[in-house]
Amino acid sequence: MTTIGIIGAGNIGSQLARLAVQHGHQVVIANSRGPETLADLVAELGDQARAVTRDEAAAAGEVVVVTVPLAAIETIPAEPLVGKVVIDTNNYYWERDGHIAALDDESTTTAELLQDHLPGARVVKAFNHIGAADLTGHATPTGTPERRALVVAGDDAEAKQVAADLIDEFGFDVVDAGPLAEGWRIQRDTPGYGPRLTADQLREALSAATR
């Protein structure tokens, strides 16, 4: 059993919280509006979950998921996350986030931006190319034929394995896309972004991605 910190309680964060609780983990979840606004979600999740502040989620989580809009990256506390596996689910939508030059010219990726903000953390890209409802709707046991696959990308092999183990436990095969810098292969408007793909199909989609 792991304590999973979730910073961001939107569609993806809430679904990951549900999966974590279903698989026996403790969840500490935070949003930008305060723990009291998460009462309904925590009541649904039960005794294995509690609503906390962002600092508390970062401190208490053994693995921490950051699932907030890009504009909120600067609000993620860095010190409590030193040495921890941090899973980044973000995507760049300039319509929502405003234009960010380094993402527009593709000299960096969203996960690398988070890694820059959290220099002591071990950031892994995951859960960014699946719709929120599909996180629970498409989850199947290990070994299921035609099982859906999800990507991990990261610079720390051990951290990627931690994320991969969670993905498998939550109901998906895992495809390693390489280092964080390769996360662009699964960003918005790439072949692997969105559709339900097996591991082999997802590898093909990653290879077909172009900038």
Side-chain angles (χ1 to χ4, degrees):
M1 181 181 68
T2 301
T3 298
I4 299 177
I6 300 177
I7 301 177
N11 293 331
I12 295 291
S14 298
Q15 287 288 74
L16 290 175
R18 293 181 179 102
L19 284 169
V21 166
Q22 287 170 19
H23 291 277
H25 300 288
Q26 296 288 325
V27 169
V28 286
I29 188 165
N31 65 6
S32 61
R33 295 177 296 141
E36 66 280 356
T37 65
L38 295 173
D40 289 346
L41 177 61
V42 168
E44 175 200 332
L45 295 172
D47 292 342
Q48 288 169 248
R50 58 192 176 97
V52 296
T53 66
R54 289 185 174 196
D55 283 10
E56 289 168 335
E62 296 167 71
V63 175
V64 177
V65 179
V66 174
T67 180
V68 300
L70 279 172
I73 281 179
E74 296 300 320
T75 70
I76 305 302
E79 185 59 33
L81 295 174
V82 171
K84 293 186 179 181
V85 176
V86 174
I87 296 175
D88 169 52
T89 76
N90 217 331
N91 291 296
Y92 174 42
Y93 301 103
W94 62 262
E95 303 92 336
R96 175 195 69 185
D97 304 317
H99 281 286
I100 299 171
L103 295 177
D104 286 338
D105 67 19
E106 299 201 89
S107 59
T108 192
T109 63
T110 56
E112 288 174 293
L113 286 179
L114 183 62
Q115 183 68 82
D116 289 345
H117 176 65
L118 304 173
R122 298 183 289 163
V123 174
V124 179
K125 190 72 173 183
F127 298 117
N128 73 300
H129 61 103
I130 180 171
D134 293 341
L135 280 168
T136 51
H138 289 178
T140 56
T142 304
T144 300
E146 303 300 307
R147 193 187 196 205
R148 182 167 183 170
L150 298 179
V151 160
V152 292
D155 297 334
D156 183 298
E158 183 183 16
K160 277 201 289 191
Q161 190 60 55
V162 169
D165 288 346
L166 271 182
I167 291 170
D168 179 51
E169 182 182 14
F170 285 178
F172 304 90
D173 284 346
V174 182
V175 172
D176 187 343
L180 279 184
E182 289 294 292
W184 68 268
R185 292 185 179 275
I186 200 65
Q187 67 191 9
R188 172 188 181 180
D189 298 328
T190 59
Y193 182 84
R196 180 175 187 162
L197 302 174
T198 65
D200 286 343
Q201 291 168 337
L202 187 52
R203 290 186 191 97
E204 291 177 5
L206 292 174
S207 296
T210 58
R211 282 180 154 159

